[in-house]
Amino acid sequence: MKTSRGRLAALALGLILVLAAALRFTGLNWRLRQTPELDETDFVENVAKMIVERDLDHRFYEYPGLFFYTLYPFLSLLPKAALTGPGAYLLARRVVASFGVASVGLSFWLGAQRVSVQAGLVAALLLAVSPIEVETAHMIRPDVALGTLALLTLWAVWRVGVSSRGDTIAGLALGAATALKFSGLLLFPSYLLRRVFEPGRRLRGTLIAAVVATTVGVACTPYAILHFREFAAGAYAQWHYHYRGGGPAPRLNEILLYYLRTIFRSLGPTGSLFAVVGLSAARRDLRTWRPVVALPIVMLIVLSTAESRWIRLIVPALGATGLVAALGFESVARRFPRTAWILVLAGALVPVRDAAHYVRAVSRPGTRDRALDWVEAHVPPGGVVFTSMPELAFDSARRELLFPAGSPEQNRLTADGVGALVWEQEAPEWLKGRLPDAVFEPSDPLEGPRVVAYRARDVSSRWRPLSLGGARLSASSNAVDLPAAADGRLETYWKAAEPDTAEEWLDVALPTPVWIGRIELLLGQRPNRAGRRLRVSVSDDGHRWTPIVSAPGRPEVERQVGIEEGEGSQVVLVAPTLTRWVRISAQSPPGKRWGFAELHLDAVDSPEVSEARGR
């Protein structure tokens, strides 16, 4: 009988672990086609720097070092070229998800040790289907790993007694938790509540735990000592983020309710009910349960005093709340075993539905992904996309991105000179007269914002290269090299005479008036000479100059396609203007002289001809 029950429990645990893994590992590649979130970038890119530089300086001192060191051995398996690519982020997310599954196993083990096997199964089930834990396990953040260490710390705390060995083990766990994230400090009250009420040398035991924890913390964050000033500044930045006013948030009750609702959402209705029963049952064995109950209470109190609130911050306490709920389940199951199991299984359907909904939503292509597919289908490699969404990280080796930064007139110019437009939510006023070519509506908020896409107007086919054979060139300096700007060769350059100048200019006097629409400065093998703040002016006589509306037609040189092959250039789109004299002005780049290899001017149809063609 005991053997069959053991097999049944093992089968149940196996199914729970499979469910936990399925919920955490499915959909881990969400948004990896776009720019990663800043928090994820902070971890992956700094681990990549550690690997490339072959050091242990985690550099991002707003966090301790252990989470970086945890990711290090896994990311070091990747080629250097892939260390900051989507594969690195996916691998890091898998590491986080593995901690989530480990926490489920630990919940069973602790529940089985301190209550019963069936209580351990309940604790594991509640954590396995927790939508809060599942969502956080899809992100590269240390909260899920801290949840694993929190459970290990509770196990270590239960070993505290007469022997100082228990204090040493507790110190190891507490030091590791604090080295993973500063909020690991919130585990110390659980240890102290055990130490104070246990026999033995309390003061000596506390000192041993403190010394061991400090030693482990420093060993896992050595740069807290080596770069103490920078580390202190990073710790203060974290503190200031959560306590901007310097003290507790004025909305304490509101934030407390927010986190209580988060725990309720994690446990589900019956899991929360069992947790309440568990709190009552814990009073009969305070020696065991005082440290467990203290953890979520301490976290609730501290988090409620902060101005910033995020559901993931409560994740380290979810394992403890699940254990308390399992204790409540055991209390009910002793009298009503079938009813208790029906309640826990039926109640688990609520959080598992919530978690499955999240996993299903992030597993489907989001609106940003569908917009990317549309761009790939309609914009050829090397094309330029004008977008309001900087997170849309198109393949930087294939397409270029431009972002709105000027007046409506300038943005309209850019919109008419690129391969496509992709906009979040509604289009701006200067696009209101155009119907989008594609609209990507989210069926769920998790799929991203509404995105509209437009094909560019066919303006490029109306640009006609102008020959500079009969034109006269003049410049603010270095006139001797001016012929190089129109000799048809990318190996010769015009450049300003001096570096770091506030303004240099180059004038073009054409033989006859033409409608100017586009200017391109080819950079050849000297992209570092690209000018800053390019401006265009025209003149009626070559003496008095009038600025005209202009806008970029390519992004900054650093974000251009083909820059390594000498295909870098600066493109300036201008409002169609009839003129003979054109002036291009720019600032020199820092420490360099403004220059380029070739100057190209493109003519366009007059507004009347363009309007007639449009009709």
Side-chain angles (χ1 to χ4, degrees), residues 288-341:
T288 298
W289 292 99
R290 189 185 289 113
V292 181
V293 173
L295 175 56
I297 291 177
V298 168
M299 292 203 75
L300 280 170
I301 292 173
V302 174
L303 293 179
S304 298
T305 64
E307 293 187 43
S308 300
R309 59 181 189 181
W310 299 95
I311 62 171
R312 65 177 181 270
L313 299 181
I314 201 69
V315 164
L318 296 183
T321 59
L323 289 172
V324 174
L327 178 63
F329 163 84
E330 182 71 15
S331 300
V332 175
R334 286 175 187 155
R335 297 183 60 188
F336 311 102
R338 289 187 178 182
T339 302
W341 275 112

Side-chain angles (χ1 to χ4, degrees), residues 267 270-280 321 324-326 328:
L267 295 174
T270 56
S272 300
L273 178 62
F274 282 132
V276 174
V277 176
L279 287 174
S280 177
T321 59
V324 174

